[in-house]
Amino acid sequence: MPDDKLKRSARDRDRVAGGQAYEVEYFARKHAISVEQARQLINEHGNNRAMLDAAAEIMKWKGAA
């Protein structure tokens, strides 16, 4: 069952819910990576949004080289 998008707190914003397709898709679009790459990052680094943002930027930088 999807979480209630109307009930959010600060705790909800600092994590990416890997089990929620819309959050994974949003994260992938935000960083211009594929959904599969986003899921790979979540599996490797956990669901901390700040850590995932940094890892996605590193992934994009390595891909551009």
Side-chain angles (χ1 to χ4, degrees), residues 1-64:
M1 181 171 160
D3 60 348
D4 187 348
K5 295 179 193 177
L6 299 176
K7 295 181 181 178
R8 288 191 267 182
S9 67
R11 289 182 296 164
D12 192 36
R13 293 184 187 127
D14 68 348
R15 300 180 191 271
V16 176
Q20 301 293 328
Y22 69 91
E23 282 206 33
V24 177
E25 290 168 4
Y26 170 79
F27 180 80
R29 262 193 331 272
K30 176 181 174 184
H31 293 288
I33 61 176
S34 71
V35 172
E36 184 56 41
Q37 289 173 315
R39 289 189 193 284
Q40 179 184 358
L41 287 174
I42 293 168
N43 288 337
E44 290 177 10
H45 300 284
N47 65 349
N48 180 287
R49 189 174 301 275
M51 185 177 289
L52 288 170
D53 287 342
E57 289 302 315
I58 290 170
M59 177 185 275
K60 286 191 329 188
W61 183 77
K62 285 182 178 178

